[in-house]
Amino acid sequence: MTLLLILLVGGIIGWLASILMRTDAQQGIFLNIVVGVVGALVAGFIITPLIGGAPITSGSFDIMSLFASFLGAVVLLAIVNLFRRGSVR
């Protein structure tokens, strides 16, 4: 059940991050889920130690973990845009 919840929340976070970074038209639902889950992993290593909380991949679904996972997804999309387009956008 936790894996299903991680995929669902990761998809929503990835979708919101892709809207913010204006890459939503290029991505489908599968890529939104990947961005959200990988963004949560990035948040677990980089962002969570800075702001506190736990990433959603550990099963914690509080407001701080959702915010950290969202920031991780935005950072991931910024890095991908930097390499694909040469600008963060």
Side-chain angles (χ1 to χ4, degrees):
M1 185 66 179
T2 305
L3 179 63
L4 184 62
L5 197 56
I6 288 172
L7 293 176
L8 178 69
V9 172
I12 293 169
I13 287 173
W15 175 63
L16 291 173
S18 67
I19 288 174
L20 181 71
M21 296 298 290
R22 291 185 232 130
T23 61
D24 191 44
Q26 304 163 356
Q27 296 179 190
I29 189 163
F30 178 72
L31 201 54
N32 282 335
I33 292 171
V34 170
V35 165
V37 172
V38 174
L41 291 172
V42 168
F45 290 119
I46 298 171
I47 298 170
T48 303
L50 297 175
I51 64 172
I56 63 168
T57 53
S58 68
S60 172
F61 292 103
D62 59 350
I63 197 74
M64 190 60 96
S65 64
L66 294 174
F67 181 68
S69 298
F70 177 73
L71 285 178
V74 169
V75 167
L76 177 69
L77 285 175
I79 292 170
V80 168
N81 282 341
L82 186 63
F83 284 108
R84 284 180 63 195
R85 294 188 182 97
S87 68
V88 174
R89 201 186 236 204

